[in-house]
Amino acid sequence: MHPFTLERPRDLPAALAFGAQAGRNDAPAEYIAGGTDMVQLLQEYVRRPDRLISLAGLLDNRVEIGPQGLRLGAAATMADVAAHPRIIEQFPVISEALLNSASPQVRNQATMGGNLLQRTRCPYFRDVGYAACNKRAPGSGCAAVGGENRWHAVLGTSEHCIAANPSDLAVALVALGASVEVRRAGGDRTVPLAEFHRLPGDAPHLETVLEPGEVITAITVPASPMARRSHYLKVRDRASFEFAVVSAAVALDMDGGTIRQARVALGGVGTKPWRVPRVEAALAGGGLDPAALRRAAALAADGAQGRGHNDFKIELMQRAIVRAVEIAGARA
Amino acid sequence: MTTAFIGQPVSRVDGRQKVTGAARYAAEFDLPRQAHGAIVRSTVANGRIASIDSAAAERGPGVVAVLTHRNAPRLPYSPHKGAVDPQVGERLHVLQDDRVSHQGQPIALVIADTVEQARHAAALVRVTYTPESWTTDITRVAPVQPTQQKTDQGEVRPPATRRGDPEGALASAEVKVEQTYIHPRENHNPIEMHATIAAWDGDRLTLWDKTQWVHNTAEEIAAVFGIPAQNVRVISPFVGGAFGSSLRTWPHVTLAALGARAAGRPVKVMLSRREMYYGVGYRPHTVQQVALGASRDGRLAAIMHDGYQETSTYEEFSEALLNASRFLYSCPNVDTRHRLARMNVHTPTYMRAPGEASGVFALESAMDELAVALNMDPVELRLLNEPERDEFKKLPFSSRSTRACYRAAAERFGWSRRSAQPRSMRDGRLLIGWGMATATYPMNFAPASAMARLLPDGTAEVTSAASDMGPGTWTSMTQVAAEALGLPIERVKFVLGDTRLPNAPVHGGSLTMASVGSAVQAACRKAREDALARGGANDLLEAVRRIGQPVEASVDTNPGDESQRFSMHAFGAVFVEVAVDPDLGETRVRSMVGAYGAGRIVNPKLTRSQCIGGMIGGIGMALMEHAVLDARNGRVPNANLAEYPVPVHADTPPVMEAIFVEEHDLHVNPLGVKGVGEIAMVGVAPAITNAIFHATGKRIRELPATPDKLL
Ligand SMILES: Cc1cc2nc3c(=O)[nH]c(=O)nc-3n(C[C@H](O)[C@H](O)[C@H](O)COP(=O)(O)OP(=O)(O)OC[C@H]3O[C@@H](n4cnc5c(N)ncnc54)[C@H](O)[C@@H]3O)c2cc1C
Ligand code: SF4
């Protein structure tokens, strides 16, 4: 590890004063919450901040459910949120996305804020033995384009970066229209999760809209009867403890056998948590018959670009949507 | 009181130490004044080091020394090849010159007071290279004939064999299968990463090391440093899994000793998980073509098996890829050819069931394809082609229980309820498939020594420099010793893992029970007889009390001429049920039954867990394991445990059974054991891919069978 100073500020304003910034490799100071991703990045020299600002004890870890919807404190752990009885009942897609993430040990330690800001699993990003990675070293090129790219995204990519966003939770949240509450020294702002992560474009080292000194304080999810009829489907090479090859989060508002409204988002395939509004629109007003579902799901492939090893994801993600809608639709 | 312990399900004698953390592994023998070494590794596949700038590293806090090819002492690297080393080529020399032949090659060692300081300073070393053209794309390498070499059993390993007229028989065969099967590179990934602590006392060296063969480590390091082997003591009481990764003595062991000499204090070197993909060997990528010809009624007329595998530029590593194809079935016309693809990679090594695991995948997949082509039950096809003797060696089998294994496993599995047609069995949305394959692994028996020491208080200490990487050597040897001595198990202490103890062969090739077990048994019997004779009593306790001082017996056992008279192998059969999601391509194994004819089973409890472990390893091989070699530059991008998945609990089927069919083999060795460590891994992958075919109608010829291949 590159030597760093661990700051343990007494309160949140003191923490904000350090001007730390998540998700940027050139930021000289960075926050650490549960540390489950940060420590890996430090050990492998992917991140070399001079200062690490501990958020331990400074952020809300409560889970609140009211008439407005759901509020998850940024410090709530993946384990606590996944096991919350009212989340299981009213927002099953969130609980399922979390239970299909990582392992119990990691979930006990990892936080909501850290989950949204975990870095890509692109193996070139994480192996400093590769010089070329625009995300890690801006302007150095991209080892994944033309390389082994079974792990990579097919949606929202650019010539400069094709890294997939790894978070399962974010896929479920973006489907439900969640927002991120952000605090900085000057005050608070709320950012829709769909606008929180940036597309790589020609600056893949800028991952989110967070500015220096900003922290996530909470995630909010609007109340919606749809969330009850939701499902998270994750496809992977082994049965547990693996990031998604492809995943789909679906929430449905049903009128008998007809879909009144649908929310669909994809994981493992997008450079950010990927909502597919055209699929949602095509599902609305239709039924659950397989041919109609397949036609709607096909719209997810709009603009998708495979790079060889990951071509199969374009087909697989459509099938994942169909299956997830079928399962959610069958829910009471 | 009964002292018949062989065959009893005795619990691990070291179990409590392991679960309480009292068992000490190589990295846990910290010494006073110990420093830490961190290795700097190359980031090009071929070329020369143009410059190394270690100034910043040397200024780092706590840094004691930075060793590179410029300042490291020249080491003699005297000739030495243990049975585990490739017999052709020369091992990698570290820090001796500016040459780099592969990614991840050690090019510097940083020594510092703490491990953090050493690792950080290692990251500060700046290296530039003059690259030279390299070969890291196996699809573009022309494989070559290996140099003729001997196996670890001293036999010549033929790169090619031939009997009859295979081409002619294939051309005129009524039914044919000709396919190519690919097995990717796999890494051992034991839970304990490799580590060595080295401490010099004058020209005497002590190594605490993760090794499956202490004596070979001592000999190799002695040869590297040009000192007598007696000057090197190697201690390795516990090994946290290895699967073959600690058979050879890898460069980091040399580096630890070199570092300790340069620093004038003990040095510890621990590999990180990423380094495990560069610093120790791996199961090589193999490409195999198999052609089978048969008559309409299912009799094999021709077997042609041509395989090549990756190896490094500096050593020819070859494994027993084609062995099974030469004798597993009766066939008059057989051709096998083994070749090597030399690449800018580090040398592969033995990994659980080396050769057999990958070779039998190809053969048993082709046999399944033949059964489909013949419209015949796969078990029936195999029974029809059972040989009466080994048609390659032209020797009788010492014992061969394939028929009993097929019967026992098929019955337990319920094979008779299988509907033959692919895609004909379902569970809701899921397609269900049943598949099977045959397994085989040679019985190996090597010279071994053991010492038994009976004490006047009626306890005994029995020793041999064996290893226990997990299968339970500690326990099984205690059982053998207690039975031979006629003492209760609690009174017998078995000690292993130290070069001060009597010589033992390598803990690999499933030969420990046969070889060390036979020596332990003989030493204990002799000690007992001596004590009874000297003490003039019929009761052992009475005899040793009367003698009043320790009674010692040392025995060396050697294999006889059995291998000239018999073909000796363990055999087995594996049956598998898979469920495949036809839309999402996910395959999960639902049940697995293996039946093995493996001679006498010393401890059914340990043997069962060894077999279950092998089966799970086979699930990894079939469904997920793949060390991706970046063809552009020879790096392994997924050198970690997140992107290189190994099976987790959720992947292990709810039903897993290992059946041991009764087998009394009087020829193999005095104990009548054949070993099960490796055979449990053989046949699992093809049984799974055969089941996938049965479920889906899709044939997976390139492992692993990930969802993308089943869409
Ligand atoms: C073995 C393993 C398997 C995993 N598998 C999965 C999986 O299958 N699916 C999945 O979705 N995830 C998986 N993960 C990732 C895991 O979910 C994340 O590591 C975890 O959620 C990060 O949370 P943390 O609190 O530990 O964050 P940290 O590691 O402490 O921080 C991560 C990043 O977030 C920033 N940060 C943290 N909190 C805040 C905040 N409040 N405001 C601003 N910045 C902040 C930090 O600066 C840092 O950049 C896995 C992780 C591991 C180790
Ligand atoms: S895909 Fe992005 S993260 Fe991966 S190597 Fe390319 S630039 Fe780096």
Side-chain angles (χ1 to χ4, degrees), chain B residues 297-299 329 367 371 374-386 406 415 418 436 575:
Chain B
D297 63 358
R299 278 180 207 284
Y329 298 112
M367 283 295 280
L374 288 164
N375 199 10
M376 186 181 263
D377 180 84
V379 179
E380 202 183 310
L381 174 65
R382 285 162 175 87
L383 286 170
L384 198 63
N385 289 288
E386 265 288 292
Y406 295 136
W415 185 255
R418 179 178 188 257
M436 59 81 57
F575 287 69

Side-chain angles (χ1 to χ4, degrees), chain B residues 360-411:
Chain B
V360 167
F361 163 65
L363 176 66
E364 288 296 283
S365 295
M367 283 295 280
D368 201 66
E369 301 209 43
L370 183 63
V372 171
L374 288 164
N375 199 10
M376 186 181 263
D377 180 84
V379 179
E380 202 183 310
L381 174 65
R382 285 162 175 87
L383 286 170
L384 198 63
N385 289 288
E386 265 288 292
E388 287 314 312
R389 60 208 302 265
D390 181 332
E391 295 175 7
F392 170 61
K393 286 189 179 157
K394 301 192 172 56
L395 291 175
F397 291 109
S398 64
S399 59
R400 172 170 168 129
S401 304
T402 27
R403 286 192 180 90
C405 290
Y406 295 136
R407 201 180 314 119
E411 198 166 292

